Amino acid sequence: MSSATSHTVFPIGRVHSPLRRPGDAPKQGYEGAPNARIQIETSFLPGLDGIGPGQQILILTWLHEARRDVLAVHPRDDKTQPLAGVFASRSADRPNPIGVHRVKVLAVESDGALLVEGLEAIDGTPVLDIKPALPRAGGW
Amino acid sequence: MSSATSHTVFPIGRVHSPLRRPGDAPKQGYEGAPNARIQIETSFLPGLDGIGPGQQILILTWLHEARRDVLAVHPRDDKTQPLAGVFASRSADRPNPIGVHRVKVLAVESDGALLVEGLEAIDGTPVLDIKPALPRAGGW
């Protein structure tokens, strides 16, 4: 890693969720993750203009408890599975631990928070970006 | 932005593409983007173990020419469309300019580079992460 080519990211908001620890979270949002609130920093609220209930969005998170020095993992933390490269897995542990979560917006609350369905990120996870999902590109 | 809550990301590789400037690129990969090579840094090549031809992957990029101080954009750079919040758009201009691109792997070359189909990122774009797309989650 060279500082000449590194870049800085910062939270635009945070996840509020009943999930408190990584061990509490399902591996993927579609595996029974609870609803969550995305609290956006006040200064970034204008960026939400155009997001409404029913939309599918991508939430990019900073997986703040991840290890960044790992290049091989057991898929789904299942030690009976052979090691695979981190880029062939969705493990949180990876050189740049950025999570990509597709969720449905249930509501935009009066303070600008987004209530979303089925998010596997734990409480306090920093949010880096929100994008609309693109149905023509397979929904991502 | 507080340095206490910011995080550092760095390239694990770079895009090599015939697209030289943002104006050359289609807005989305499915809109006629050319094939591209993803050259991974040697030290990160073990992380690719398990990725092969035919797989759908997500490539996360650092959109290095983006403006980070923009919260409202004309969707698809079309000035006839009303301004919308950046988080309701896929504009490269956004507080944390991270691109998410879903592409198919065409080949893994002998030096570990990935040849991928239809990528709208321009030549030289830093790559931050690669993940398998998840068919059960709508393909993202």
Side-chain angles (χ1 to χ4, degrees):
Chain A
M1 174 176 171
S2 153
S3 60
T5 58
S6 65
H7 306 281
T8 300
V9 296
F10 54 88
I12 62 158
R14 300 253 169 205
V15 173
H16 294 275
S17 169
L19 298 172
R20 299 294 174 188
R21 296 174 308 159
D24 298 337
K27 299 297 178 199
Q28 300 300 332
Y30 56 74
E31 295 176 323
N35 298 344
R37 290 178 71 248
I38 309 295
Q39 187 73 54
I40 304 296
E41 300 274 348
T42 306
S43 57
F44 294 110
L45 285 175
L48 293 180
D49 182 36
I51 294 183
Q55 288 183 16
Q56 295 279 345
I57 59 173
L58 303 185
I59 298 177
L60 274 57
T61 57
W62 184 257
L63 302 167
H64 57 303
E65 300 197 359
R67 289 181 55 189
R68 304 186 67 174
D69 58 350
V70 171
L71 288 179
V73 295
H74 293 285
R76 299 178 61 82
D77 292 334
D78 178 351
K79 298 292 188 295
T80 68
Q81 294 201 41
L83 285 167
V86 282
F87 304 130
S89 93
R90 296 289 285 237
S91 171
D93 297 327
R94 52 209 311 121
N96 292 302
I98 299 168
V100 178
H101 318 263
R102 183 176 138 171
V103 295
K104 183 166 82 172
V105 178
L106 297 173
V108 181
E109 301 184 345
S110 57
D111 61 355
L114 300 180
L115 181 65
V116 303
E117 185 176 56
L119 181 66
E120 75 276 21
I122 63 172
D123 190 61
T125 298
V127 173
L128 300 181
D129 196 13
I130 292 171
K131 303 177 189 291
L134 297 175
R136 286 187 57 194
W140 58 282
Chain B
M1 172 178 171
S2 154
S3 61
T5 58
S6 65
H7 306 280
T8 301
V9 295
F10 55 88
I12 61 157
R14 300 252 170 208
V15 173
H16 295 276
S17 170
L19 299 173
R20 299 294 174 188
R21 296 174 307 159
D24 297 337
K27 299 298 179 201
Q28 299 301 332
Y30 55 76
E31 295 175 322
N35 299 344
R37 289 178 70 249
I38 310 296
Q39 187 74 54
I40 304 295
E41 300 275 348
T42 305
S43 58
F44 294 111
L45 285 176
L48 293 179
D49 181 36
I51 294 183
Q55 288 184 14
Q56 296 279 345
I57 58 173
L58 303 183
I59 298 176
L60 274 58
T61 57
W62 184 256
L63 302 166
H64 55 304
E65 299 197 358
R67 290 181 55 189
R68 304 187 65 174
D69 59 348
V70 171
L71 288 177
V73 294
H74 293 285
R76 299 179 61 81
D77 291 334
D78 178 351
K79 298 294 190 294
T80 69
Q81 293 201 42
L83 285 167
V86 282
F87 303 130
S89 92
R90 295 288 285 237
S91 170
D93 297 328
R94 51 207 313 120
N96 291 303
I98 300 168
V100 178
H101 319 263
R102 181 175 140 170
V103 295
K104 183 166 81 173
V105 178
L106 297 174
V108 181
E109 301 183 344
S110 57
D111 61 355
L114 301 179
L115 181 66
V116 302
E117 185 177 57
L119 181 67
E120 76 276 20
I122 64 172
D123 190 60
T125 299
V127 173
L128 301 181
D129 197 14
I130 292 171
K131 302 177 191 288
L134 298 176
R136 286 187 57 194
W140 58 280

